Amino acid sequence: MYNLIIYLYQLGVAIASLFNEKVRKMWRGERDAVRVLREQVDPQAKYVWFHAASLGEFEQGRPLMEQLRREHPEYKILLTFFSPSGYEVRKNYEGADIICYLPLDTITNARRFLRTVRPVMAFFIKYEFWYNYLHILKHRGVPVYSVSSIFRPSQVFFRWYGRQYGRVLKCFTHFYVQNDVSRELLASIGITDVTVVGDTRFDRVLQIKEQARQLPIVEEFLAAPLSSPKGDTNVQGAAKASPRGGLEGAAPCFVAGSSWPPDEEIFIRYFKEHPGWKLVIAPHVIGEDHLQQIEKALSGLSYVRYTDAEKEYSVSDADVLIVNCFGKLSSIYRYADVTYVGGGFGVSIHNTVEAAVWGVPVIFGPNNQKFQEAQELKACGGGIEIMNYDDFARCMDAFIKQPDELQRRGKAAGDYVMSKAGATAKVLNDVNL
């Protein structure tokens, strides 16, 4: 049944590739992967294979790859992706020796792929459970590790109708999971080679923090006086109490990362009604239609786009900086007094940990139940869930009127991230290298 579904999926992808550029890139990349491998694989080398579905899983696997390369240069690294959103962004990543798409999980593709690479071990990051690849790896005696995986009772493996497919989990040599619930669920189906190590993503965000760049445009933007009235005089007191406090003498800064229109409707409305803050908006979708939608919503506030500022447009008269380019957000969070992570009024929230690592409160919408870090941030006080505009307004009003509350929540967020570090070392110290 599984192989029939895969072949039907393959047919669907082939048809969809005629109409969708993203699918077409994936289709071509998967078909081209074995040729790439045959050209680039060194038959004398020992390859460790890392597979990440997309960009988020890559970020979780990245600390492992980089520590492995530092400590065990005798191995070469093969990195594969399933999604174009991962491959297209990281196809030039210097931490791997070969980067390509993973061909779809047919028996023929899996045999051809593994015959070409002959990996000495494999790491599957978080949610990847390809039936044919895993069974062939097990048959060949290749150790396979699942890293930063997390399981829930609703997953097919733990349902009566999914028990046959669930056998794929027994192909793994060891699971390095994020929490005790995952360990207990695996034990319920007879899998006991499991260690709770946490999430390697925390190690990654700490790396990102260490490597964060100073951004002169953002600093100039924050240092300039507000063009709108100051509003509540307690605003500056809140900024001074913040763990970050922006720049010395600067207005307090609110950073909204990976925002969508429902998020923007809430926080833009608040700052139009409560001047006194500098606002940085880094939308998830950077398209001209969305940017114009944001600018229309900002009517009455002065704003500038980041790329225009790079062209020497002045940011000194702006109260809002719109980040219409990629690769800046993780460094911009360093300047925030309060952060907002978008997506919680849509499919799901984005990366809350990337903001929390800077020791600032993180606000997000209600669709966050599948994210352990969001639940734990709420529990420790570093994360604040909002359901609507009124919730957001109450939260921001409290930060302005009670600077100690802002400081307490920011410290809780930063302490939480620090307490979760170390999963990478636990995995590599345990694996037989």
Side-chain angles (χ1 to χ4, degrees), residues 101-336:
Y101 282 93
L102 180 68
L104 197 62
D105 188 30
T106 66
I107 294 174
T108 299
N109 282 346
R111 286 175 176 167
R112 185 185 296 126
F113 180 92
L114 294 171
R115 190 182 302 123
T116 303
V117 179
R118 299 185 180 277
V120 297
M121 69 184 69
F123 292 85
F124 281 46
I125 309 301
K126 197 173 183 178
Y127 283 140
E128 292 296 271
F129 308 108
W130 295 112
Y131 190 91
N132 291 314
Y133 282 103
L134 288 166
H135 276 85
I136 295 172
L137 285 165
K138 182 177 180 180
H139 177 73
R140 295 187 175 190
V142 178
V144 185
Y145 305 100
S146 177
V147 177
S148 291
S149 44
I150 187 167
F151 295 92
R152 296 182 298 276
S154 60
Q155 287 174 299
V156 64
F157 313 114
F158 312 110
R159 300 288 190 171
W160 64 266
Y161 53 80
R163 289 300 173 93
Q164 184 173 359
Y165 175 64
R167 294 174 186 170
V168 71
L169 299 180
K170 296 187 177 181
C171 294
F172 284 93
T173 305
H174 203 92
F175 286 86
Y176 296 98
V177 299
Q178 294 190 31
N179 57 29
D180 285 319
V181 172
S182 298
R183 178 181 56 78
E184 292 165 3
L185 285 169
L186 290 171
S188 73
I189 57 172
I191 297 174
T192 57
D193 290 321
V194 182
T195 304
V196 178
V197 299
D199 190 347
T200 53
R201 181 169 36 173
F202 290 94
D203 297 326
R204 176 60 188 148
V205 296
L206 286 166
Q207 287 180 349
I208 291 172
K209 181 181 179 182
E210 292 174 1
Q211 298 164 3
R213 296 166 291 166
Q214 288 186 291
L215 300 173
I217 287 173
V218 178
E219 294 183 1
E220 180 183 352
F221 165 73
L222 294 177
L226 287 157
S227 62
S228 56
K230 292 291 183 183
D232 192 329
T233 56
N234 286 333
V235 167
Q236 288 292 340
K240 290 176 182 177
S242 166
R244 295 297 309 153
L247 299 172
E248 185 67 28
C253 176
F254 180 92
V255 175
S258 300
S259 63
W260 293 81
D263 306 302
E264 292 148 8
E265 289 176 10
I266 290 174
F267 61 73
I268 289 176
R269 174 185 167 187
Y270 181 85
F271 289 109
K272 289 178 74 171
E273 296 176 359
H274 299 79
W277 290 70
K278 291 279 189 169
L279 175 58
V280 180
I281 305 174
H284 184 72
V285 176
I286 301 176
E288 187 59 30
D289 289 346
H290 189 194
L291 294 173
Q292 290 185 13
Q293 183 180 359
I294 292 171
E295 291 169 350
K296 183 178 180 180
L298 290 169
S299 176
L301 295 176
S302 56
Y303 58 82
V304 65
R305 295 187 184 186
Y306 198 101
T307 54
D308 289 339
E310 289 180 321
K311 298 173 185 175
E312 299 185 358
Y313 283 69
S314 174
V315 295
S316 60
D317 296 328
D319 294 335
V320 184
L321 179 63
I322 303 172
V323 184
N324 61 327
C325 49
F326 294 106
K328 308 290 186 186
L329 181 57
S330 59
S331 294
I332 288 174
Y333 279 134
R334 73 185 298 166
Y335 299 106

Side-chain angles (χ1 to χ4, degrees), residues 47-50 68 75 118-123 137 142-145 428 431-433:
Y47 283 92
V48 177
W49 173 25
F50 286 84
L68 179 70
Y75 294 112
R118 299 185 180 277
V120 297
M121 69 184 69
F123 292 85
L137 285 165
V142 178
V144 185
Y145 305 100
L428 291 182
V431 168
N432 184 13
L433 295 168

Side-chain angles (χ1 to χ4, degrees), residues 340-374:
Y340 182 100
V341 173
F345 290 94
V347 176
S348 62
I349 58 170
H350 296 286
N351 192 343
T352 55
V353 179
E354 190 176 44
V357 71
W358 290 102
V360 291
V362 186
I363 304 172
F364 43 80
N367 195 350
N368 58 70
Q369 302 305 311
K370 293 183 179 180
F371 296 86
Q372 176 176 294
E373 64 275 14

